[in-house]
Amino acid sequence: MQGIFAVSIAALALAGISPLQAQETPPPSVTTAMQKSDGEKPTEEDEMAEAMAMLGAMFQVEPLTSEQEARLPLASMIIAKIMPEGVMAEMMDGMFNGMLGGLMQMADEAPATSVLANSLGITADELDLSEDQAAELVSLLDPAWRQRREIEKALLPEMMKTLMSAIEPGMRKAMSELYAINFTRPELEGIDAFFSTETGAKYARKSFTMASDPRVMAASMEALPAMMG
């Protein structure tokens, strides 16, 4: 569960969407990006607001029952042990040092033909150029492309850690509600008792951050041929 959950978080983070943001966004207002009362062209902010409103309508959830609400404080205590403050930034840091770091390195080493094709909006196969010719053209079109790539590479990990820190409170709230929904009070008390032990506390923390280990990506890559088949 923790591995799937962590990968889902990373995907949502890369998309720039908080899982709880979709849940808590109100339905579309009367004045939307498509319905400007003053007849003006919708702005980028209008379009973003409408997109988030549409997501909010897609991810409506049932409110907790009174019994689930009563279990919520205990569930929240458990989630605080599984997801202590800063754990999502720690997970993302591990991902960049492991699986995502490798992907970034591959992107950084992309041939000039691929960079040029991407800039022109075509495929590399459509270019009848050598690597040196492509590199020269890329430098003419965008003289600072290598420097900008290095800057982006350096900034992205910290930006993603900041984003994950912003997502963390909402995710902690959502997981607390899920535990309150899916476990009875005796079950929650048993989980909390285990997580209160030295071994349980270590498991609670490691079960989340282990999802960012390079072994997770390696296992996924091993299964890729079967998935493609």
Side-chain angles (χ1 to χ4, degrees), residues 16-229:
I17 300 172
S18 164
L20 263 290
Q21 192 175 18
Q23 174 181 317
E24 298 175 349
T25 304
S29 60
V30 175
T31 302
T32 67
M34 301 301 293
Q35 293 178 301
K36 294 285 284 185
S37 59
D38 54 9
E40 292 182 1
K41 182 179 179 181
T43 65
E44 188 173 327
E45 289 76 14
D46 293 327
E47 293 172 352
M48 177 62 72
E50 184 176 42
M52 295 311 303
M54 290 174 64
L55 282 173
M58 291 171 59
F59 293 99
Q60 293 295 325
V61 297
E62 294 292 330
L64 298 181
T65 65
S66 57
E67 290 182 357
Q68 292 165 352
E69 286 282 1
R71 296 195 292 265
L72 188 58
L74 179 54
S76 298
M77 289 174 55
I78 293 171
I79 296 303
K81 295 174 181 178
I82 299 174
M83 298 177 63
E85 186 174 351
V87 70
M88 291 184 66
E90 180 182 335
M91 180 195 71
M92 182 55 65
D93 194 42
M95 283 184 144
F96 272 104
N97 290 331
M99 62 179 84
L100 295 181
L103 293 175
M104 288 182 65
Q105 185 65 30
M106 289 174 61
D108 192 50
E109 295 173 354
T113 48
S114 297
V115 177
L116 178 61
N118 185 62
S119 300
L120 298 176
I122 59 176
T123 66
D125 293 337
E126 296 178 77
L127 290 175
D128 186 18
L129 298 171
S130 67
E131 184 65 15
D132 290 341
Q133 290 172 325
E136 185 176 353
L137 285 175
V138 170
S139 297
L140 289 173
L141 291 172
D142 185 3
W145 71 279
R146 290 188 185 277
Q147 295 92 322
R148 186 174 61 256
R149 178 179 286 181
E150 287 299 317
I151 293 171
E152 291 172 349
K153 183 179 177 181
L155 287 176
L156 187 58
E158 287 303 317
M159 290 174 63
M160 291 305 301
K161 286 168 65 176
T162 300
L163 177 60
M164 296 304 270
S165 296
I167 291 173
E168 187 175 274
M171 289 307 304
R172 193 178 291 115
K173 177 178 181 292
M175 290 301 295
S176 296
E177 292 178 353
L178 285 172
Y179 270 56
I181 291 169
N182 289 282
F183 298 103
T184 65
R185 176 167 289 277
E187 289 170 340
L188 289 172
E189 289 173 346
I191 295 170
D192 185 55
F194 172 61
F195 284 169
S196 296
T197 65
E198 183 177 350
T199 300
K202 182 175 182 179
Y203 169 77
R205 180 64 177 255
K206 290 292 185 181
S207 63
F208 193 89
T209 56
M210 281 192 300
S212 63
D213 192 281
R215 289 173 179 80
V216 175
M217 178 59 81
S220 300
M221 291 300 100
E222 288 176 4
L224 191 59
M227 292 168 62
M228 295 300 292

